């Protein structure tokens, strides 16, 4: 088991000897997840289309004493995703965890005003991207007989997303893909779960605020806690889902929304 020689994790480094792949790790939640895994001892493969942001995340991990490799990769392209998993295994010897987090937002308009190319772009990244990532990750995890995958959905994958119907449909699809994969691979030592955050302070949210400056106040007042989440609060949940602490958690959509969907 190349790259996984440590039997006992170091104190404070529960993921020492483990290898994780995070997509969309050049920014926002993906970056926070990559940094948290790096701090916890994992070797981190940072995947993103953004070369600058991807290198920056990898550099942050290395500067804080962790291990990281940036691989530029577009999750909508099968050849990129296949090469991404191959590079991960060539470099670190295995793939223990994958967080399929890359996604794009919807500009925001009533469903009847959306265009074909918006539908194709959002579904391409958010749904096909997650399916392609799981396809190649699962092939590697099957060889190992172990693994855990976390797909980034959203509360918009569980309840309505007014003026963002395509994004909402894409996140419902992520939950569906997650449950099917969880059922299919449960006897192969592989767990597959989804994470469903509500609003999180990231560049994606900043772009939504830029398009419609009232968004921030509206989102904050819609949250029972009166604030949006910080990326690290989502990262903590992603690490837990991957960890052995969640060994019987499978096919679950974990809501991390400060109570948003509870009211
Ligand atoms: N920010 C929120 O309020 C919020 C809420 C719920 C769920 N989410 C979900 O969390 C995830 C991360 O969102 P974020 O807010 O950090 O967004 P972000 O825009 O800050 O980061 C997304 C990253 O994905 C990358 N990416 C986009 N298309 C890609 C592609 N085709 N291939 C590879 N990488 C690609 C981008 O370059 C970027 O670095 C997404 O799945 C998003 O839908 C976000």
């Amino acid at each position: 088991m190349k790259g996984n020689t440590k039997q006992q994790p170091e104190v404070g480094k529960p993921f020492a000897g483990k290898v994780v792949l995070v997509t969309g790790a050049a920014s926002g939640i993906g970056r926070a997840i990559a940094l948290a895994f790096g701090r916890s001892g994992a070797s981190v493969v940072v995947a993103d289309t953004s070369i600058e942001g991807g290198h920056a995340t990898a550099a942050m991990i290395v500067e804080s004493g962790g291990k990281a490799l940036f691989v530029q990769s577009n999750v909508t392209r099968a050849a990129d995703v296949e090469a991404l998993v191959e590079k991960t295994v060539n470099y670190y010897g295995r793939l223990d965890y994958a967080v399929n987090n890359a996604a794009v937002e919807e500009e925001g308009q009533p469903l009847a005003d959306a265009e074909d190319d918006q539908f194709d772009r959002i579904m391409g990244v958010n749904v096909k991207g997650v399916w392609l990532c799981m396809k190649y990750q699962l092939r590697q995890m099957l060889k190992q007989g172990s693994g855990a995958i976390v797909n980034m959905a959203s509360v918009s994958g569980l309840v309505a997303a007014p003026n963002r119907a395509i994004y909402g449909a894409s996140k419902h699809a992520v939950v569906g893909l997650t449950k099917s994969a969880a059922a299919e691979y449960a006897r192969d030592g592989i767990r597959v779960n989804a994470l469903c955050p509500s609003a999180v302070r990231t560049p994606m949210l900043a772009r939504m605020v830029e398009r419609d400056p009232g968004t921030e106040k509206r989102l904050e007042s819609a949250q029972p806690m009166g604030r949006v989440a910080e990326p690290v609060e989502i990262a903590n949940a992603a690490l837990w889902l991957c960890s052995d602490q969640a060994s019987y958690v499978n096919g679950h959509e974990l809501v991390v929304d400060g109570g948003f969907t509870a009211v």
Side-chain angles (χ1 to χ4, degrees):
M1 284 202 290
K2 223 174 7 150
N4 190 36
T5 49
K6 286 187 184 151
Q7 294 305 307
Q8 292 296 325
E10 289 170 38
V11 177
K13 303 271 183 201
F15 291 107
K18 302 292 187 184
V19 179
V20 62
L21 163 54
V22 185
T23 71
S27 173
I29 296 170
R31 172 173 284 174
I33 293 170
L35 295 179
F37 267 113
R39 283 193 299 274
S40 303
S43 300
V44 186
V45 176
V46 171
D48 207 291
T49 45
S50 164
I51 297 180
E52 198 186 333
H55 277 306
T57 302
M60 286 176 203
I61 294 171
V62 171
E63 275 158 25
S64 61
K67 297 188 198 91
L69 170 74
F70 168 58
V71 180
Q72 191 196 15
S73 156
N74 184 335
V75 297
T76 65
R77 295 193 194 133
D80 275 26
V81 178
E82 187 174 15
L84 171 63
V85 173
E86 222 173 82
K87 282 179 191 165
T88 301
V89 176
N90 288 344
Y91 202 77
Y92 287 127
R94 54 187 291 113
L95 176 64
D96 294 294
Y97 315 120
V99 182
N100 298 317
N101 162 82
V104 288
E105 73 272 26
E106 186 166 355
E107 287 80 354
Q109 71 292 299
L111 183 148
D113 296 342
E115 302 295 340
D116 279 26
D117 61 342
Q118 275 177 294
F119 186 92
D120 292 342
R121 184 178 65 88
I122 294 165
M123 288 294 176
V125 180
N126 299 10
V127 183
K128 188 182 176 194
V130 168
W131 167 69
L132 274 175
C133 284
M134 283 207 289
K135 173 175 173 168
Y136 292 103
Q137 293 156 358
L138 283 164
R139 289 178 179 188
Q140 174 59 29
M141 289 174 177
L142 282 169
K143 286 185 207 159
Q144 300 167 182
S146 67
I149 295 176
V150 174
N151 295 321
M152 195 59 67
S154 165
V155 290
S156 302
L158 304 172
V159 296
N163 289 325
R164 292 190 168 78
I166 304 169
Y167 179 83
S170 77
K171 293 301 187 180
H172 275 74
V174 170
V175 172
L177 282 170
T178 300
K179 291 186 176 186
S180 295
E184 284 177 33
Y185 297 98
R187 291 184 184 221
D188 297 300
I190 303 167
R191 294 182 298 107
V192 188
N193 290 290
L195 250 181
C196 300
S198 52
V200 188
R201 192 176 306 288
T202 68
M204 181 184 280
L205 189 72
R207 287 192 296 275
M208 289 163 65
V209 171
E210 207 178 297
R211 281 187 207 110
D212 174 6
T215 305
E216 190 161 13
K217 280 273 155 296
R218 267 201 310 279
L219 280 174
E220 275 173 2
S221 57
Q223 308 303 318
M225 289 187 178
R227 66 172 179 90
V228 302
E230 295 302 325
V232 70
E233 296 179 289
I234 312 305
N236 290 338
L239 266 68
W240 179 76
L241 279 175
C242 288
S243 77
D244 289 345
Q245 303 296 315
S247 55
Y248 206 63
V249 181
N250 191 31
H252 180 55
E253 66 271 31
L254 180 61
V255 172
V256 184
D257 70 347
F260 179 75
T261 52
V263 291

